[in-house]
Amino acid sequence: MRVRRTSINITLSVWKALFLREAVSRLATGRAAWLWLVVEPLISVVFLLFIFTGFRMHTVGGINTAVWLMVGMMAFLVFRRTGTQTQNAVDANRGLFTYRQVKPIDTVLMRAALEGFLTTLITVILFAAAALLGVDVVPEDPLLVLEAFFGLWLIGMGFGLITSVVGELIPELGKISGFVMTPLYFASGAMIPLASISQPYRDWLMFNPVAHGLEAARLGFASHYHAPSQLSVAYLYGFALVLIFFGLALHVRYASRLITQ
Amino acid sequence: MIVVEDVHKRYMTDHGPGKWVLQGVSFAIPPGLSVGLVGGNGAGKSTLLRLIGGVDVPSRGRIESNCRVSWPMGFGGGLQPSLTGRQNTKFVCRIHGHEEDIRSRVAFVEEFAELGDLFDEPVKTYSTGMRSRLQFGLSLAFDFDVYISDEVTAAGDAAFRDKAAAAFKKLSDHASIIMVSHGEGTLRQFCTAGIWLNEGRAHWFDDINDALREYKKSQLNHQISVLLAEQLLPGNQERVALELEKIQQRLKAVVLLEQGMAGEPAAVDHEEGVRVIQEANQQGMQLVGLGQLAQLGCNLKPGAIPMLKKYYPAPHNKHLDLYDLKSQCVKVESIN
């Protein structure tokens, strides 16, 4: 007779299975799916770099334009990819809820984990490539960079936890969260230095936690970077905590509704 | 042991809570007893299976089991369409905590499902039969005390059904099955007891044949009530009257079967069978076809046929031959 597995054991094995299942889908569906994961940010960065250098902007806020762009782009992608991928996690795994071990929350968490892992990997690859091209990419304060990226990942996960439930229960709202991402891209300072924006608009923009994450990551690369004075990593984490709390609460409340629909 | 106590279930629809699918279902399934669920479309059979399988929770009431229950195998559930058969198999092994012997289990499923090269193709390219084979193989790769099957055994070609039945027979000394199937032969073959679901309630029968008969009776009664309503419409009195007569005859036959030889159809002796048919004839139900009798849950022994021929005059002999054929069909079905 086999020993009865504990809840933790079951959850861990489900997480592992889901992580591998998601990784296979993400990397092996379609032609060279893995290539696009790298090429997409690369094209954005190269394109923006081309425009910035066209305007003879070789530094932004006191640091190298290439580094500024890459850090901003990858930091934003950690948030965006985690947020958008987790949003569809429940729907994409609907068939697997036949196994009572698999709960909707597991699929969301594992998609978030996979996106975080992949984006980190891509960031490392891009920076290694930049280093080979002679750009100075060694961060001055690596811990702050990690802190910022991790905070952005948490925000993305919180966003996904909420939208994955809301999008299932009220499909109309799910569509809205889809086009929130583009304005956020501009409002988070991925291609505009927020410190250069005049008051009171900068105060307003700094209500956006993603902007804090992006600027903190850049500050981590160069301590002389002109970050907005409102920058606060604590705000980023506080916001993420609230989002995740609400997301988890929604998942607990609507667990059975998500499965039966 | 699985205990279902006062279970109610309804689903949320786009327009608020839907109507009750199950209303106060209670029963207990002792260990080792295989049970067949019968009932019309939408009677809540699949819902009940999902509840027992722990996929869904009842709106009210509780379900308890102290044994290892499989997931409900059935239409396309439990397979991720974009993954291959092999990847799906690995996934299921992993969530059941069989990381260390994953190879042997995958090999078992591959061998059992007989999908060939398609085992490494995405499940979305499979036909329904192939999916069922994979699902069936998957569930057999694990040791459960109770297997839950939603029509899955009925799928596949004859050869596969043979294999599935053999596999189940092998399991049956230490495991049982709870199944929904529209194939009566399948139900009789695998199940001892039966549950008839009707209007949100469950009726327990120690014998699956009784459950099937009760289900048939309710269906015939329903048909009659529909026809009676139709009769009120102008223009189709004659047609309806004819059909009504037919159905009422079938119903009478069922009732007679119940009085005469229901309960233990396998133990029906020849005289008893003959008596029922004679009685039916006397009551003016001349041609309750014997084939129909067989369908209605009467298992006449093969030896009864020459005897019955005496009581059936010449033009109607062909029904007996038909019955003979039919009984062979039943036999074939039960071997599968």
Side-chain angles (χ1 to χ4, degrees), chain A residues 5 21 92 95 98-100 260, chain B residues 53 55-56 69 78 80 95 97 99:
Chain A
R5 293 190 291 163
R21 166 254 173 287
T98 305
Y99 308 103
R100 58 181 170 277
T260 49
Chain B
V55 181
D56 208 340
V69 180
Q80 182 67 33
I95 62 170
E99 190 70 49

Side-chain angles (χ1 to χ4, degrees), chain A:
Chain A
M1 205 64 181
R2 267 175 55 226
V3 220
R4 193 173 264 267
R5 293 190 291 163
T6 62
S7 302
I8 297 282
N9 266 336
I10 295 172
T11 305
L12 287 179
S13 57
V14 166
W15 281 3
K16 186 182 176 191
L18 273 175
F19 188 86
L20 292 171
R21 166 254 173 287
E22 290 288 357
V24 166
S25 300
R26 191 91 169 97
L27 298 175
T29 330
R31 238 173 305 199
W34 55 273
L35 189 65
W36 289 106
L37 290 180
V38 186
V39 168
E40 190 208 333
L42 188 67
I43 290 177
S44 306
V45 169
V46 168
F47 178 69
L48 286 174
L49 190 62
F50 183 70
I51 293 178
F52 273 67
T53 47
F55 286 115
R56 299 280 188 274
M57 279 177 71
H58 294 294
T59 60
V60 180
I63 60 174
N64 186 327
T65 310
V67 174
W68 184 86
L69 274 174
M70 277 200 305
V71 178
M73 185 65 64
M74 291 321 295
F76 187 72
L77 277 188
V78 169
F79 161 72
R80 192 181 71 185
R81 283 192 172 164
T82 310
T84 50
Q85 285 294 314
T86 48
Q87 193 176 335
N88 307 320
V90 175
D91 214 35
N93 289 294
R94 190 156 296 286
L96 301 177
F97 298 139
T98 305
Y99 308 103
R100 58 181 170 277
Q101 294 89 341
V102 183
K103 299 291 175 206
I105 181 89
D106 296 327
T107 66
V108 177
L109 293 179
M110 281 309 104
R111 275 216 169 174
L114 178 71
E115 276 324 297
F117 174 72
L118 287 179
T119 318
T120 312
L121 207 65
I122 294 161
T123 310
V124 171
I125 292 172
L126 282 187
F127 275 82
L132 288 178
L133 292 174
V135 184
D136 180 21
V137 291
V138 182
E140 257 177 55
D141 186 353
L143 272 184
L144 182 60
V145 177
L146 287 180
E147 220 180 324
F149 271 69
F150 187 66
L152 283 167
W153 179 71
L154 288 180
I155 290 260
M157 185 163 73
F159 178 84
L161 279 171
I162 292 174
T163 49
S164 60
V165 178
V166 171
E168 286 294 317
L169 300 182
I170 316 165
E172 295 81 1
L173 283 182
K175 285 188 186 108
I176 293 176
S177 72
F179 56 71
V180 158
M181 281 300 175
T182 314
L184 262 184
Y185 178 66
F186 294 106
S188 302
M191 43 189 286
I192 317 153
L194 289 181
S196 69
I197 287 176
S198 56
Q199 289 286 26
Y201 308 109
R202 200 199 309 158
D203 273 346
W204 298 355
L205 285 176
M206 291 309 277
F207 278 118
N208 170 14
V210 182
H212 287 266
L214 257 65
E215 295 292 7
R218 286 169 179 152
L219 191 63
F221 265 85
S223 54
H224 56 269
Y225 173 61
H226 308 310
S229 52
Q230 296 91 334
L231 179 64
S232 153
V233 180
Y235 179 73
L236 175 70
Y237 275 79
F239 208 103
L241 202 68
V242 172
L243 284 183
I244 290 175
F245 173 79
F246 272 114
L248 289 176
L250 283 173
H251 268 276
V252 170
R253 171 68 183 78
Y254 292 108
S256 64
R257 280 276 294 277
L258 290 180
I259 289 177
T260 49
Q261 270 192 354

